[in-house]
Amino acid sequence: MTNNNINSEPIEILLVEDNPGDAELTVEAFKEAKVNNNIYIVEDGKEAIAFLNKEGKYNLSVTPDIILLDLNLPKMGGLEVLSIIKEDDNLKHIPVVVLTTSSSDQDILKSYKLHANCYITKPVKLDNFIEAIQKLDSFWLSFVKLPVGIKI
Amino acid sequence: MNKNTEDIKNTERTNIEVVQREALTLAESIISTVREPLIVLDANLKIQNVNKSFYDTFKVHEKETIGTLIYDLGNKQWDIPKLRELLDEVLTKKQDFMNYEMEHDFQQIGQKSMLLNAKRIFRKDIGTETILLAIEDITERKNVEVIQQEALTFAESIISTVREPLIVLDANLKIQNVNKSFYDTFNVNEKETIGTLIYDLGNKQWDIPKLRELLDEVLTKKQDFMNYEMEHNFQQIGQKSMLLNAKRIFRKDIGTETILLAIEDITERKKAEEEIKQYSFELERSNTELEYFAYVASHDLQEPLRMVAGYTQLLEKKYKDQLDDNAKKYINFAVDGAVRMQALINDLLDYSRVGAKKKEITKINCISVINRILTNMKDVITTSNAQVKFNKFPEIYGDEVQIERLFQNLISNSIKFHSDKSPIIEIEAKGKDNNSCLFSFKDNGIGFEKEFSEKIFQIFQRLHTKQKYTGTGIGLAVCKKIVEIHGGQIWVDSAIGEGSTFYFTLPMTHRIHIGYKTTK
């Protein structure tokens, strides 16, 4: 496994999650993963789009390397956010990991139809959750080659 | 007298004789060719002559007929009081008769209705009176009349007894007849109805544009109508939906066309249809709500659970050094509770989804279903050293996804509750009758007490602690639901230490209705 991100530039992660408890668990899990990362947390779909488009208070935000997206979000649902990202030429290259409580077949199918890069149901057990985040980290952020130099 | 005069006289006589003979021949040939039986009687009522038709009709022959007193003919069959009456009148009162009706039951030819014409003829040539008796066999005609009358009575009784209102109109659309149902349904009486133009009936309540349209078509295009739908708000009886059949009937007996109009009041039926539509709409809506509820439950109910479990575990992880064994035990209970709660929620959802959607009914090959299950369960089967034995199966019909789940639940159940022996599961099935098939899944597992035979099919019912056997107790409840929505039954035979045999029936015909169907 190539682990070329250690000691190099940090990985920029956008976490779209309305539940602060869940957000913190995710942050904790990433800490365990020992990856040099920056996690930005936004609480709803509209904020997520504003962040990605560097609108308003997000005018100084970075373009994330990966987006972790919950589906049940206030104002604008996760699926809508996903479709906006995947239809936007400037954003669609960013891998989107749907990380959600729902294990509904419909949600899974809809997410993939909207070009989600992967779909993960959050496990109840903390160990399993940490393991999932670590696998996510090792696959998407270490193993897979992500596009570089397209940051706007 | 000279020879010439003699010759002329001879010639005249010859001519007269010729004419006479010709007249006689003509008369005889008339007698013989007319289709009606004819009898010529002398003054003593002895039969002088009859025609062929008489022999044919009354099944007598010449030998017994000619010269016989009419009353003696054919074993005195003709000794009929009414005939005696007639002939007496003819002889004594010197009267002729026309259309004298007589009925008689003849030995050989049965009951006959006859119309008799009797005419006295004085024959100068033989110097005596003869009676010409023409007999018309009107038995058939009488029968036809009776049948006609019966048919008419029958038709009238149909009209009067059918529950649907009926109207008979003449060619000018005046009402000739209606039945009781019409009076009852439309609250009109006979006086204002019969002879009235239909459009004028009941304060012109029947002057309905769609009815005019229909009757115009019937009259002009000579077309009959079936199931012509019409709605109208009647003054007395309110809004009605009607289905009209119109039929033109040409009545030969009165030489004119009549129109039979049958009116079916479908107001109630329409209302019922509306209600069914409404009901199925409600059902669809409640189904959608159920789906939404299931979605919300799977997401929103689990999120707090994850918080509880996640943070107690995080607590343990981060403050490991400051917690004693009791604290760690409590945390374990909390986490275990959350994990089980999640399993229960998922299983409950699962259970509620069985049969919630419209299913595809197909012909199912059980062997390929079981082989697929064995492939899915390969690891468990290898680990437990289980054997699944089966031979032949009848074809069954059902929702294949559900049937597979039913079989898999039963097989995995048998493996899970195995005894100290390696699990052996024997699956058999045979046609019970033409419509259903009886399956049995027999195992050599631990079995259970008979008193739990029904309880084990209840949702979340467990016979063992979760420490001994994992699971929420949903498997058999799902089995029961699957069997029942296929119209079958499931039961079990078991004893401690002797294994269990699960029995259930499944349909062998595609004409099944899978329960909980919605129109969605």
Side-chain angles (χ1 to χ4, degrees):
Chain A
M1 193 197 287
T2 50
N3 220 345
N4 50 9
N5 283 319
I6 294 179
N7 303 326
S8 60
E9 267 186 71
I11 293 289
E12 311 290 347
I13 300 169
L14 174 64
L15 175 61
V16 190
E17 172 64 76
D18 64 316
N19 180 347
D22 248 332
E24 192 159 335
L25 277 182
T26 311
V27 172
E28 283 296 326
F30 269 108
K31 276 186 196 160
E32 298 271 324
K34 299 180 179 66
V35 174
N36 184 11
N37 61 53
N38 295 323
I39 300 186
Y40 307 94
I41 302 168
V42 291
E43 290 184 342
D44 66 54
K46 280 197 182 304
E47 294 282 302
I49 297 301
F51 183 95
L52 290 168
N53 289 334
K54 305 183 201 300
E55 291 163 3
K57 63 177 174 180
Y58 299 112
N59 63 342
L60 295 175
S61 74
V62 296
T63 299
D65 295 304
I66 190 162
I67 300 166
L68 305 185
L69 180 65
D70 190 12
L71 288 187
N72 251 30
L73 294 170
K75 291 182 189 168
M76 185 192 282
L79 290 172
E80 204 181 332
V81 173
L82 180 60
S83 80
I84 290 171
I85 293 171
K86 291 301 176 186
E87 275 166 20
D88 188 327
D89 276 343
N90 292 325
L91 303 175
K92 65 177 165 198
H93 64 279
I94 307 171
V96 178
V97 173
V98 176
L99 185 65
T100 186
T101 315
S102 169
S103 55
S104 138
D105 293 345
Q106 282 301 311
D107 277 345
I108 295 170
L109 183 66
K110 278 182 196 159
S111 298
Y112 281 113
K113 279 196 168 168
L114 290 172
H115 308 290
N117 297 74
C118 79
Y119 189 105
I120 296 173
T121 304
K122 293 175 194 168
V124 172
K125 282 201 162 176
L126 184 66
D127 288 347
N128 297 346
F129 186 61
I130 291 172
E131 191 190 341
I133 296 294
Q134 280 173 344
K135 283 192 173 150
L136 187 71
D137 168 68
S138 67
F139 183 75
W140 282 106
L141 304 179
S142 308
F143 191 65
V144 168
K145 275 285 185 192
L146 295 176
V148 287
I150 312 177
K151 291 181 183 176
I152 306 163
Chain B
M1 204 183 282
N2 63 37
K3 196 178 180 289
N4 261 353
T5 323
E6 188 83 355
D7 277 355
I8 288 163
K9 279 190 175 167
N10 277 345
T11 311
E12 277 177 355
R13 197 182 309 134
T14 314
N15 280 348
I16 289 166
E17 277 169 11
V18 167
V19 171
Q20 267 185 337
R21 211 171 35 245
E22 275 178 2
L24 213 62
T25 313
L26 180 66
E28 274 168 6
S29 63
I30 288 173
I31 289 175
S32 69
T33 51
V34 285
R35 252 186 293 216
E36 281 173 22
L38 286 178
I39 318 181
V40 184
L41 298 172
D42 65 14
N44 301 316
L45 302 179
K46 286 199 171 148
I47 298 166
Q48 276 190 343
N49 196 5
V50 304
N51 66 350
K52 189 172 176 302
S53 168
F54 182 83
Y55 290 131
D56 291 348
T57 308
F58 295 102
K59 301 269 183 307
V60 284
H61 45 174
E62 196 175 335
K63 225 174 115 185
E64 57 180 323
T65 306
I66 304 297
T68 308
L69 181 69
I70 185 162
Y71 304 135
D72 291 342
L73 181 62
N75 281 332
K76 299 192 192 291
Q77 280 190 66
W78 284 85
D79 190 359
I80 306 162
K82 277 201 87 173
L83 182 62
R84 275 184 186 269
E85 225 171 80
L86 169 74
L87 293 175
D88 283 355
E89 294 259 311
V90 172
L91 287 176
T92 57
K93 297 197 182 159
K94 311 277 179 206
Q95 207 181 336
D96 293 343
F97 276 89
M98 289 288 278
N99 297 329
Y100 179 84
E101 205 174 321
M102 185 175 95
E103 293 212 351
H104 187 61
D105 193 1
F106 291 92
Q107 278 166 29
Q108 282 184 301
I109 56 170
Q111 183 75 29
K112 289 279 161 189
S113 297
M114 291 162 288
L115 221 48
L116 272 61
N117 286 0
K119 194 168 175 54
R120 288 166 315 115
I121 300 163
F122 186 77
R123 275 181 66 180
K124 279 189 189 148
D125 55 341
I126 52 173
T128 169
E129 202 161 49
T130 60
I131 299 168
L132 186 62
L133 200 61
I135 305 164
E136 192 182 353
D137 180 356
I138 57 164
T139 315
E140 281 300 305
R141 199 205 298 160
K142 284 286 257 191
N143 283 345
V144 169
E145 270 171 22
V146 168
I147 290 168
Q148 267 182 341
Q149 190 53 46
E150 275 175 4
L152 213 63
T153 313
F154 184 58
E156 273 167 8
S157 62
I158 289 175
I159 289 177
S160 69
T161 53
V162 286
R163 254 186 292 217
E164 279 175 24
L166 288 178
I167 316 180
V168 184
L169 298 174
D170 67 14
N172 301 317
L173 303 180
K174 284 196 170 146
I175 299 166
Q176 277 191 341
N177 195 4
V178 305
N179 62 352
K180 186 168 178 307
S181 167
F182 182 84
Y183 290 131
D184 291 348
T185 310
F186 296 103
N187 252 338
V188 284
N189 56 38
E190 195 176 333
K191 221 176 115 190
E192 58 182 322
T193 306
I194 303 299
T196 308
L197 182 70
I198 183 162
Y199 305 133
D200 291 342
L201 182 62
N203 281 334
K204 297 193 192 288
Q205 282 191 63
W206 283 84
D207 193 359
I208 306 163
K210 277 203 87 174
L211 181 64
R212 277 189 184 265
E213 227 169 79
L214 170 75
L215 292 175
D216 282 353
E217 293 261 308
V218 172
L219 287 177
T220 57
K221 298 201 181 151
K222 311 271 177 213
Q223 206 180 337
D224 291 345
F225 275 89
M226 290 287 280
N227 298 327
Y228 181 85
E229 207 174 321
M230 186 174 97
E231 294 218 343
H232 189 61
N233 195 359
F234 289 94
Q235 279 165 30
Q236 283 183 300
I237 54 168
Q239 185 74 27
K240 290 275 162 190
S241 299
M242 292 161 285
L243 222 47
L244 271 63
N245 286 0
K247 194 168 174 57
R248 288 169 314 118
I249 299 164
F250 186 78
R251 277 185 60 181
K252 278 194 191 148
D253 55 343
I254 52 172
T256 170
E257 202 159 52
T258 58
I259 299 169
L260 186 65
L261 201 61
I263 304 165
E264 190 182 353
D265 181 356
I266 55 165
T267 315
E268 287 301 310
R269 195 204 302 165
K270 285 277 248 191
K271 220 166 92 188
E273 274 170 14
E274 250 338 284
E275 274 166 14
I276 288 170
K277 220 193 259 172
Q278 184 63 26
Y279 179 69
S280 73
F281 173 75
E282 289 287 327
L283 199 67
E284 196 174 323
R285 203 178 53 110
S286 86
N287 206 52
T288 313
E289 262 172 24
L290 186 74
E291 299 250 311
Y292 182 69
F293 166 77
Y295 178 81
V296 167
S298 78
H299 191 277
D300 294 9
L301 292 185
Q302 291 191 25
E303 208 172 74
L305 272 182
R306 241 189 22 260
M307 290 304 97
V308 173
Y311 280 93
T312 43
Q313 287 169 100
L314 200 59
L315 195 66
E316 188 190 16
K317 212 177 176 76
K318 293 228 160 162
Y319 300 94
K320 222 186 297 185
D321 301 339
Q322 297 163 51
L323 296 174
D324 64 8
D325 283 351
N326 258 346
K328 283 175 190 165
K329 198 166 76 187
Y330 299 160
I331 286 172
N332 276 341
F333 284 145
V335 172
D336 187 47
V339 169
R340 278 200 318 117
M341 179 84 176
Q342 190 200 29
L344 288 172
I345 291 172
N346 281 336
D347 283 351
L348 194 60
L349 283 174
D350 221 25
Y351 180 76
S352 75
R353 278 186 192 134
V354 174
K357 282 183 190 161
K358 196 173 175 178
K359 304 299 182 195
E360 280 286 304
I361 305 299
T362 55
K363 199 190 278 180
I364 298 172
N365 178 346
C366 294
I367 293 194
S368 54
V369 169
I370 293 174
N371 283 330
R372 206 156 56 226
I373 293 168
L374 297 184
T375 310
N376 292 344
M377 297 179 66
K378 209 167 68 190
D379 290 350
V380 187
I381 287 171
T382 314
T383 317
S384 61
N385 197 23
Q387 282 182 69
V388 178
K389 296 177 176 174
F390 55 95
N391 193 359
K392 278 197 299 190
F393 293 101
E395 266 172 0
I396 56 162
Y397 284 85
D399 179 347
E400 188 155 346
V401 176
Q402 290 189 5
I403 298 298
E404 180 173 331
R405 190 150 175 217
L406 166 68
F407 288 5
Q408 179 156 343
N409 281 6
L410 289 174
I411 293 171
S412 62
N413 220 54
S414 289
I415 294 175
K416 182 168 161 189
F417 297 101
H418 66 84
S419 59
D420 43 12
K421 291 170 271 183
S422 301
I424 298 172
I425 300 149
E426 292 166 70
I427 308 173
E428 277 177 23
K430 54 177 185 287
K432 202 166 131 265
D433 46 51
N434 285 336
N435 296 323
S436 68
C437 177
L438 176 68
F439 283 80
S440 61
F441 280 57
K442 184 178 190 301
D443 67 41
N444 58 345
I446 55 173
F448 57 87
E449 291 101 327
K450 205 177 169 52
E451 57 182 296
F452 297 117
S453 307
E454 284 188 18
K455 234 179 178 179
I456 59 163
F457 292 108
Q458 286 171 14
I459 188 166
F460 298 146
Q461 192 64 54
R462 302 167 49 92
L463 299 183
H464 308 278
T465 61
K466 61 181 172 23
Q467 281 76 26
K468 204 163 172 194
Y469 292 100
T470 56
T472 57
I474 191 94
L476 290 177
V478 167
C479 287
K480 185 174 197 279
K481 201 165 174 186
I482 290 172
V483 169
E484 283 177 354
I485 58 180
H486 279 80
Q489 283 174 301
I490 188 166
W491 66 97
V492 65
D493 226 357
S494 185
I496 291 270
E498 288 176 24
S500 309
T501 307
F502 285 87
Y503 297 95
F504 56 89
T505 56
L506 284 177
M508 281 167 73
T509 150
H510 64 284
R511 290 187 303 273
I512 56 164
H513 169 82
I514 293 248
Y516 311 110
K517 257 187 193 170
T518 71
T519 51
K520 202 172 177 181

